[in-house]
Amino acid sequence: MVVLYSSPRHMPFFMPFFDGMEREAHDLGMDVCLCWVRPGQLPRMIRERSADGVVALADYPQELLAIKTLQLPLVAYQDHFEGAHCVIPDARKGTY
């Protein structure tokens, strides 16, 4: 089976989300870098603790646990993860 999907950066829903993150990061003198997660492997800049924090847009429990083990600040988007800040949109109200 082949699953096709677009980069979140090109999905209209995510554009305001990324724009807001980039504006806030800029105001704090920081940058935003978008990385793909491969199951079972964190991006190098996270493994080497070169990142100041992580916003996870996908549910990869093993990888989220590894990020917490590295003691990097973590925000989980669309998922609950113990020990992390979580952003859970209200899809029902959003659709309305």
Side-chain angles (χ1 to χ4, degrees):
M1 175 184 0
V2 176
V3 178
L4 300 175
Y5 62 97
S6 298
S7 162
R9 201 171 260 295
H10 296 98
M11 292 179 178
F13 169 81
F14 282 107
M15 290 312 297
F17 181 77
F18 287 126
D19 288 344
M21 278 197 322
E22 288 172 345
R23 275 194 307 275
E24 290 297 317
H26 179 268
D27 291 349
L28 295 169
M30 302 172 98
D31 298 305
V32 173
C33 179
L34 182 63
C35 297
W36 296 109
V37 174
R38 294 170 193 91
Q41 181 181 2
L42 292 175
R44 181 177 46 87
M45 66 186 305
I46 295 173
R47 286 192 319 265
E48 295 177 359
R49 299 186 64 183
S50 298
D52 293 311
V54 177
V55 176
L57 299 179
D59 180 21
Y60 292 102
Q62 273 187 298
E63 288 73 16
L64 295 179
L65 184 58
I67 292 166
K68 288 305 297 176
T69 300
L70 292 170
Q71 298 181 349
L72 288 172
L74 174 63
V75 174
Y77 181 77
Q78 294 186 341
D79 191 32
H80 291 282
F81 187 76
E82 187 174 331
H85 295 282
C86 302
V87 177
I88 310 292
D90 187 338
R92 177 169 278 161
K93 286 184 181 176
T95 302
Y96 179 75

